[in-house]
Amino acid sequence: NSKVIQTPRYLVKGQGQKAKMRCIPEKGHPVVFWYQQNKNNEFKFLINFQNQEVLQQIDMTEKRFSAECPSNSPCSLEIQSSEAGDSALYLCASRTGGCAETLYFGSGTRLTVL
Amino acid sequence: AQSVTQPDARVTVSEGASLQLRCKYSSSVTPYLFWYVQYPRQGLQLLLKYYSGDPVVQGVNGFEAEFSKSNSSFHLRKASVHWSDSAVYFCAVSMGGMQQGTGSKLSFGKGAKLTVSP
């Protein structure tokens, strides 16, 4: 069973509000991913980290989304000004470094933007 | 870029019957292959994975999958389903070590919703 912890499970925001969610990766996993899963089960990669460094992020993330993985603190994903289209399940996943490729997912944060 | 196709969006089988969920991928090289399951209001749980070697891989809860390079497929099977197998099943691929610098992100199919009827 995955030991990736995501909080909160549910998040409800109004349009224009900030939305922040957190993720504690599995112990010993330096690589962290954030995905967005919409209601049509389409997954969108948002950003990933190795330790505290950003490896890759999509353009959308660079505009309204921000994320960080500080040492000794939970990783976080924040939407500065929420839009209705941001309503989705946000999944955090982690894995070991090196050649291991298996991602272990948390239970997600369900964001609803009213 | 790789892509994943799951042609059966909804599958209904009777409890005790066998199951096959299909997955086809498109990639210039053989990717790493995964099946994940998502139960209602939960995240993704890994069922099994294929990197290399024996094309038939065993997973949790009696699931197995068979890789076919010639067909670019990675179909999931179970000999006898239980009502608790009702969930959404996702096939996913990554380029693995060939993209170490980018963190090897996964590409997902759109999922197959499995309903096991009594």
Side-chain angles (χ1 to χ4, degrees), chain B residues 9-26:
Chain B
R10 294 178 181 272
V11 177
T12 300
V13 297
S14 299
E15 191 165 21
S18 63
L19 169 71
Q20 176 172 276
L21 298 178
R22 295 180 291 165
C23 172
K24 297 206 73 172
Y25 66 89
S26 173

Side-chain angles (χ1 to χ4, degrees), chain A:
Chain A
N1 289 332
S2 174
K3 298 176 179 62
V4 178
I5 307 299
Q6 287 190 250
T7 56
R9 287 295 302 273
Y10 301 95
L11 193 55
V12 181
K13 295 292 178 182
Q15 294 196 48
Q17 290 186 319
K18 286 185 183 180
K20 187 169 186 175
M21 54 204 84
R22 292 175 176 81
C23 169
I24 300 175
E26 192 161 330
K27 190 175 181 180
H29 287 190
V31 181
V32 174
F33 284 70
W34 286 98
Y35 283 90
Q36 179 195 66
Q37 181 186 10
N38 68 19
K39 62 181 181 179
N40 296 320
N41 283 335
E42 295 165 329
F43 290 82
K44 181 179 288 185
F45 164 81
L46 296 177
I47 192 169
N48 59 359
F49 294 84
Q50 180 145 0
N51 297 312
Q52 292 79 54
E53 301 296 321
V54 175
L55 290 175
Q56 197 175 24
Q57 61 184 338
I58 64 168
D59 287 345
M60 180 184 78
T61 306
E62 293 172 5
K63 293 174 182 175
R64 295 186 298 111
F65 288 59
S66 61
E68 60 177 3
C69 271
S71 60
N72 301 318
S73 293
C75 298
S76 64
L77 176 68
E78 185 172 53
I79 306 172
Q80 298 301 319
S81 178
S82 301
E83 299 176 355
D86 297 330
S87 296
L89 181 67
Y90 289 83
L91 292 164
C92 177
S94 70
R95 67 170 179 85
T96 59
C99 296
E101 297 302 329
T102 302
L103 278 179
Y104 295 92
F105 287 81
S107 296
T109 293
R110 171 80 59 189
L111 173 66
T112 301
V113 181
L114 302 174

Side-chain angles (χ1 to χ4, degrees), chain B residues 13-17 78 80-86 89 114-116:
Chain B
V13 297
S14 299
E15 191 165 21
K78 187 171 184 177
S80 176
V81 297
H82 186 264
W83 64 267
S84 60
D85 294 324
S86 296
Y89 292 79
L114 172 66
T115 301
V116 180

Side-chain angles (χ1 to χ4, degrees), chain B residues 3 5 23-27 33 67-75:
Chain B
S3 65
T5 301
C23 172
K24 297 206 73 172
Y25 66 89
S26 173
S27 174
L33 298 154
F67 165 68
S68 170
K69 186 174 182 178
S70 59
N71 294 323
S72 298
S73 67
F74 189 55
H75 300 332

